Amino acid sequence: MRWHHVTGLLFAGFVCAWIFSGLMAMNPLRIFEPQGQRPDLAAWQGGTPATRQLDVTPQQALSVLAAQGFHAVELEWRVLDGQPYLLARDGAARTRLLMRQDGQLLVREQWSGRPGLERHRHCDRLAAAAHEMACRNRKMGRRRTLKPT
């Protein structure tokens, strides 16, 4: 009968820890509220690739990139500060940005912003962080290939 009590106490300890963990996940009395300055959400607002996308088909994007001598194997639609753009990678993990400006598709090697984006004081740091992430992903070999149809 002793083993029954010991097992019950161990299981009770596990259940109490599980309940306490769930309680803390709900942030009771807001004891886990962040202190200090909040992130600048205006730099990230403006849509997602699902709601706001660069109006170009993959075939059009590939032909524009190929005309510039860049042979993409991966295309990724993104939005930054409300401006949709396309991030293209080639087999050597080099990148190009495809964006629309004044009605024309432009191919760029790096983000140069747009009028109005300068109002965000974190843009240079954001661009540097994005570049660092891209370099880190290249070193780690994270990439998917786009298979032509």
Side-chain angles (χ1 to χ4, degrees):
M1 223 32 180
R2 182 176 176 198
W3 65 269
H4 180 79
H5 287 63
V6 171
T7 305
L9 287 173
L10 289 174
F11 187 69
F14 172 76
V15 169
C16 286
W18 183 34
I19 291 171
F20 182 74
S21 167
L23 175 67
M24 292 298 108
M26 293 187 296
N27 195 11
L29 304 173
R30 301 196 182 278
I31 59 175
F32 298 118
E33 285 296 307
Q35 304 297 319
Q37 187 178 8
R38 304 282 179 160
D40 182 14
L41 296 179
W44 298 99
Q45 292 174 343
T48 64
T51 60
R52 184 174 175 130
Q53 195 175 71
L54 187 65
D55 57 338
V56 62
T57 65
Q59 292 79 13
Q60 290 171 329
L62 290 172
S63 65
V64 168
L65 291 163
Q68 297 283 330
F70 187 80
H71 302 287
V73 296
E74 178 181 348
L75 301 175
E76 187 175 340
W77 279 260
R78 294 186 174 195
V79 177
L80 180 62
D81 193 38
Q83 181 181 6
Y85 66 97
L86 191 138
L87 176 65
R89 290 186 180 90
D90 68 0
R94 291 182 299 255
T95 59
R96 294 293 183 274
L97 300 172
L98 185 65
M99 54 187 65
R100 190 172 294 279
Q101 188 172 7
D102 299 328
Q104 290 186 318
L105 287 174
L106 299 177
V107 178
R108 295 186 176 154
E109 289 190 32
Q110 62 183 10
W111 185 267
S112 63
R114 68 176 178 128
L117 192 62
E118 291 79 23
R119 72 181 182 272
H120 301 296
R121 57 189 152 95
H122 302 294
C123 287
D124 291 335
R125 283 190 278 176
L126 181 63
H131 178 71
E132 182 180 330
M133 279 180 51
C135 291
R136 195 176 311 142
N137 284 344
R138 264 186 249 137
K139 288 178 186 174
M140 296 175 84
R142 291 183 187 169
R143 64 176 189 241
R144 298 174 299 251
T145 58
L146 179 69
K147 298 195 186 222
T149 56

